[in-house]
Amino acid sequence: MINRLPARSTIWLVLLAMLAGTITVFRFAERPEPVSSWSAASEPQQPPQMAVPPVPVVSDTPLSNRIVEYHISVQLDAEHKQLNGAQALTWKNPGARPVNELYFHLYPNAFKSKQTTFIRESGGKLRDDKMQDDGFGHMAIDSIQTEEGVDLTGTMQFVQPDDGNKQDETLMKIRLPQPVQPGQTTTVKIRFSVKLPRVFARMGYADDFVMAGQWFPKIAVYEPKGTRGREEEGWNLHQYHGNSEFYADFGIYNVRIQVPSRYTVAATGFPTKPAQDDGTKKTYQFYADDVHDFAWAASPNFAYFEEPFSAPNVPGVKIKLYLDPAHKDLKDRYLYAAKRSLAKYSEWFGKYPYSTLSIVVPPAGANGAGGMEYPTLITGWDASADTRGYELERVIVHEIGHQYWYGMVASNEFEEAWLDEGFTSYSEDLVMMSEFGQNPNLPIESSYITSPQPLKQSSWLYKGHGHYADNVYVRAKLVLAGIERQIGREQMLRVLKTYFDRWKFAHPATSDFQAVLESVTKTSWADFFRQFVYGGSMTDYAVERIGTRKIEQGGKTVYENSVLIKKLDGHYMDVPIRFHFRDGSEIDKTWDGQDPQVLFTITSGSPIEWVAIDPQQTMILEHRRINNFLQVEVNDKWKVRLNIGIAKLIETLLNGVAW
């Protein structure tokens, strides 16, 4: 997912940094085979019969472990804004112990009331979008039974392992009549319905547009011992939180979607046959393997375009555009951004193995569905977005980046979101620089980080979405950029390519990335990770004091200058310092930055006029640049003029900022 604007709390530091002369540009950031089948009876306004067609053979060797297999049939009731579904799920026990219970994420229940954990934590807001007063939605489980027909509905329980909020029904447990032995499978059949919310937080409806994200009962991840450093095997269980996104196992999805005839459907994967239209209803059949989610969107208004694309590591992809009519004339921009993203990411990181990539542009007012990623399907900003700059391209570049770090590497976004969002934000910048000439302003972005926190922590432990975004998107990207600054772009790309190749389809942890980094660079990064990843540090060096006194030396009057530099937070490998003298001369020195402070004593023919730490802004993680500069004397006339200027600048900026 992409974020659009910096948190409001960061603007003050940006202003101060500008006034200190360290930042010259002020710009807001633009964020194997099937093992079972199930036929459900066809009833009016109920899921159509679940006919499972032959599954196409895409490759002889699965790319993932394929723990899950879903066969889903769903019908859109467009009039009542409801989905009616039937699902057969086959789950394989990947552990070494028998499993007696299954857990399911019921994500639509996050929008059931104002008392859910998601709404409590988010305040009913996500990015610039707000949940409407009549925008509630929910999921109902009508029945659950085993493949043999044993009714499990009475065993359903909602659980709240994170906060104990009994009003939250986003995580459900069922008991099985027989345990699933290690390496064996079980199949459960579920009938469910979803009352769609008004579009908000990745799913819902806006008029006749529907975004079906996180729309089906989705089984949680059972982690074997050793997964992401886990000491004992077990379920990874979390509710749906205001900040968190998702984590799921790879598998096969065979999905039948029925909509009114006038609708067009975009979905994960590819159609196994042409849509069947009986004049009233249109039925689509989609298939995807080696993915960990399935999403779809539907609208009667899509302007549809498609183009084939191939590159050295993209053997052949059909790019499908489902544009709101307001953006149909912008199709070439969408296609160019998609093609360049696929080409560059596949060159830098590895092969894009899927045969499709779908891009959905929601209508104006439906941006709750915008800027989001799903396997082989992404959404752009809604059609009301300003397209004069590069925001249109940026969101496409970002979401396609997610196909790698969210889609194929598939980190646990509940607990280690930076491994997706930070890596994707870093990758986005690489494409925007190389293909669109848009260089990031890293000094101003570092000033956003007013409250740094550890990157490896559960998403809901951050203080609100702005705090989450500042750390998981921006600070995480800066940490990666800081690594690049030390080892160089070429070696950084080698690190990322190695990490992707080693951990694709495997759910890595932060420690796994650190191990790859150390393996490629042949260097320990323990101290760096202790400060900036496992800890909440940024670098912060300050010019604390300048002292000058006249002395006689060799019959001449010279000046003995003393400058105290302090380390206030994390340390950088080399700290550049410039000493500027009244006669215009300058001396540049470098400090290793390890000790709490250092005192420089410089004897010169002219007194020091000012001192600046990192004048070229090379220290990526330095976030309080206002204390990097100290001038010995400031003329009273300039003090008055500066104070008036500050007041007018703040007044002007605040008048133009919509909070």
Side-chain angles (χ1 to χ4, degrees):
M1 191 172 191
I2 192 170
N3 273 273
R4 248 176 148 162
L5 294 172
R8 59 179 289 184
S9 62
T10 63
I11 291 178
W12 296 103
L13 278 186
V14 177
L15 290 171
L16 292 173
M18 290 170 57
L19 295 168
T22 61
I23 296 176
T24 57
V25 178
F26 185 81
R27 179 176 65 86
F28 286 105
E30 308 283 297
R31 181 348 144 139
E33 290 177 317
V35 296
S36 67
S37 63
W38 175 39
S39 293
S42 179
E43 301 172 4
Q45 298 302 311
Q46 293 295 318
Q49 183 178 4
M50 183 175 291
V52 181
V55 176
V57 177
V58 179
S59 63
D60 294 332
T61 305
L63 301 175
S64 70
N65 52 14
R66 297 186 179 178
I67 295 297
V68 297
E69 181 180 332
Y70 289 90
H71 295 269
I72 310 175
S73 182
V74 62
Q75 183 182 71
L76 169 64
D77 181 344
E79 180 181 358
H80 298 99
K81 311 303 182 188
Q82 181 164 311
L83 306 179
N84 298 298
Q87 169 177 304
L89 163 73
T90 297
W91 176 78
K92 181 172 65 176
N93 180 358
R97 298 176 180 174
V99 173
N100 297 287
E101 300 167 332
L102 301 182
Y103 290 83
F104 290 86
H105 295 286
L106 310 185
Y107 290 115
N109 281 342
F111 315 110
K112 190 171 185 178
S113 76
K114 292 183 179 181
Q115 302 305 314
T116 69
T117 294
F118 184 97
I119 300 301
R120 283 182 178 181
E121 292 179 350
S122 68
K125 297 179 181 179
L126 187 65
R127 298 184 305 203
D128 296 331
D129 303 300
K130 188 177 186 302
M131 185 174 178
Q132 298 183 37
D133 291 338
D134 62 346
F136 294 102
H138 66 272
M139 172 181 281
I141 301 299
D142 301 318
S143 68
I144 304 179
Q145 58 183 276
T146 67
E147 191 170 30
E148 296 75 26
V150 178
D151 186 9
L152 305 178
T153 310
T155 73
M156 294 191 311
Q157 290 179 280
F158 295 110
V159 294
Q160 302 84 19
D162 298 324
D163 63 4
N165 176 15
K166 298 302 182 183
Q167 302 301 312
D168 189 84
E169 299 180 352
T170 57
L171 188 62
M172 179 187 74
K173 175 178 72 174
I174 63 170
R175 291 192 308 276
L176 297 171
Q178 300 293 332
V180 187
Q181 300 299 321
Q184 299 302 303
T185 63
T186 188
T187 298
V188 294
K189 302 180 291 185
I190 305 175
R191 285 188 176 276
F192 66 96
S193 62
V194 177
K195 176 67 175 69
L196 292 167
R198 289 190 181 271
V199 67
F200 170 69
R202 311 174 184 93
M203 75 171 298
Y205 72 92
D207 296 325
D208 49 10
F209 168 82
V210 169
M211 183 70 229
Q214 292 77 52
W215 57 280
F216 58 94
K218 189 175 183 183
I219 196 165
V221 177
Y222 188 87
E223 296 181 320
K225 181 179 179 179
T227 303
R228 300 186 311 107
R230 186 168 188 140
E231 294 183 359
E232 296 293 338
E233 67 180 74
W235 292 99
N236 186 271
L237 301 176
H238 298 296
Q239 300 153 242
Y240 193 10
H241 291 270
N243 290 334
S244 68
E245 293 191 26
F246 314 105
Y247 179 42
D249 270 319
F250 289 94
I252 293 171
Y253 287 82
N254 185 32
V255 182
R256 180 181 182 180
I257 304 170
Q258 191 176 88
V259 295
S261 290
R262 61 195 183 96
Y263 276 73
T264 298
V265 172
T268 292
F270 58 89
T272 59
K273 58 183 178 181
Q276 305 297 307
D277 191 344
D278 65 5
T280 303
K281 300 181 298 294
K282 190 186 297 183
T283 303
Y284 292 81
Q285 190 78 45
F286 289 94
Y287 173 85
D289 55 20
D290 300 311
V291 297
H292 53 77
D293 202 355
F294 187 101
W296 56 280
S299 172
N301 303 313
F302 283 141
Y304 177 74
F305 305 93
E306 67 175 55
E307 282 192 15
F309 175 71
S310 61
N313 285 310
V314 185
V317 173
K318 182 180 291 186
I319 301 175
K320 304 177 179 182
L321 301 182
Y322 300 83
L323 305 181
D324 183 83
H327 276 206
K328 66 179 181 179
D329 294 334
L330 301 174
K331 69 177 181 67
D332 291 339
R333 289 178 61 183
Y334 284 103
L335 285 168
Y336 183 81
K339 291 174 181 178
R340 298 318 303 155
S341 298
L342 286 172
K344 300 308 290 186
Y345 291 143
S346 64
E347 173 191 341
W348 293 330
F349 310 139
K351 178 181 176 181
Y352 181 82
Y354 305 111
S355 62
T356 61
L357 175 67
S358 295
I359 301 170
V360 174
V361 175
N367 207 52
M372 188 57 194
E373 72 280 356
Y374 305 94
T376 76
L377 184 149
I378 65 171
T379 63
W381 293 136
D382 73 352
S384 67
D386 187 350
T387 61
R388 290 174 294 181
Y390 284 93
E391 272 303 282
L392 183 155
E393 287 81 4
R394 183 176 293 279
V395 68
I396 301 304
V397 170
H398 182 95
E399 305 308 341
I400 293 177
H402 276 303
Q403 297 301 307
Y404 281 80
W405 308 119
Y406 149 86
M408 286 182 272
V409 173
S411 306
N412 184 335
E413 292 187 283
F414 290 118
E415 299 177 4
E416 300 179 89
W418 86 281
L419 290 175
D420 174 36
E421 297 296 356
F423 279 59
T424 300
S425 296
Y426 173 83
S427 305
E428 166 202 329
D429 276 356
L430 294 182
V431 174
M432 294 306 295
M433 285 188 287
S434 69
E435 303 303 310
F436 300 97
Q438 299 295 296
N439 296 325
N441 193 325
L442 298 183
I444 198 171
E445 292 186 32
S446 67
S447 71
Y448 295 169
I449 313 303
T450 60
S451 181
Q453 291 289 305
L455 297 179
K456 188 186 182 303
Q457 70 175 6
S458 297
S459 297
W460 54 95
L461 298 182
Y462 295 98
K463 295 175 288 188
H465 189 73
H467 189 228
Y468 165 82
D470 283 353
N471 281 277
V472 168
Y473 288 77
V474 182
R475 183 168 168 272
K477 178 185 78 171
L478 293 170
V479 166
L480 295 173
I483 295 172
E484 182 203 301
R485 183 59 58 92
Q486 295 188 44
I487 67 176
R489 174 72 54 78
E490 183 178 347
Q491 193 170 38
M492 185 64 175
L493 289 177
R494 189 155 59 247
V495 167
L496 293 176
K497 188 178 185 67
T498 303
Y499 175 60
F500 175 79
D501 186 62
R502 188 173 297 175
W503 287 103
K504 58 188 176 184
F505 305 104
H507 306 308
T510 296
S511 58
D512 297 315
F513 172 66
Q514 182 181 347
V516 169
L517 176 62
E518 293 179 340
S519 173
V520 173
T521 62
K522 311 300 181 186
T523 302
S524 173
W525 288 83
D527 189 52
F528 183 93
F529 271 66
R530 177 187 60 79
Q531 295 182 87
F532 304 115
V533 177
Y534 301 115
S537 290
M538 296 286 282
T539 54
D540 185 13
Y541 292 94
V543 185
E544 188 73 13
R545 185 176 69 246
I546 302 174
T548 300
R549 68 187 183 97
K550 293 181 181 180
I551 61 173
E552 293 296 322
Q553 191 177 77
K556 293 182 179 181
T557 299
V558 295
Y559 297 87
E560 185 181 77
N561 304 285
S562 60
V563 179
L564 180 64
I565 307 293
K566 284 191 173 183
K567 180 185 73 174
L568 303 179
D569 201 348
H571 61 256
Y572 195 75
M573 60 175 182
D574 294 304
V575 181
I577 307 168
R578 177 165 296 167
F579 304 86
H580 181 91
F581 300 88
R582 191 175 295 171
D583 64 2
S585 62
E586 293 181 341
I587 295 176
D588 288 335
K589 290 182 176 293
T590 300
W591 174 39
D592 65 13
Q594 300 291 318
D595 295 327
Q597 63 183 39
V598 63
L599 181 67
F600 288 93
T601 301
I602 302 174
T603 301
S604 62
S606 177
I608 282 183
E609 187 171 45
W610 54 260
V611 177
I613 298 172
D614 191 29
Q616 301 301 317
Q617 301 175 11
T618 60
M619 295 164 56
I620 301 294
L621 293 169
E622 180 75 10
H623 71 137
R624 290 177 179 151
R625 293 184 179 274
I626 193 167
N627 62 12
N628 286 15
F629 178 87
L630 185 62
Q631 187 166 344
V632 175
E633 297 178 356
V634 178
N635 187 291
D636 286 342
K637 175 180 68 175
W638 289 107
K639 288 181 181 177
V640 173
R641 192 171 294 176
L642 180 61
N643 287 336
I644 294 173
I646 289 174
K648 294 303 294 182
L649 179 59
I650 291 175
E651 178 185 344
T652 300
L653 286 171
L654 292 185
N655 285 339
V657 173
W659 302 109

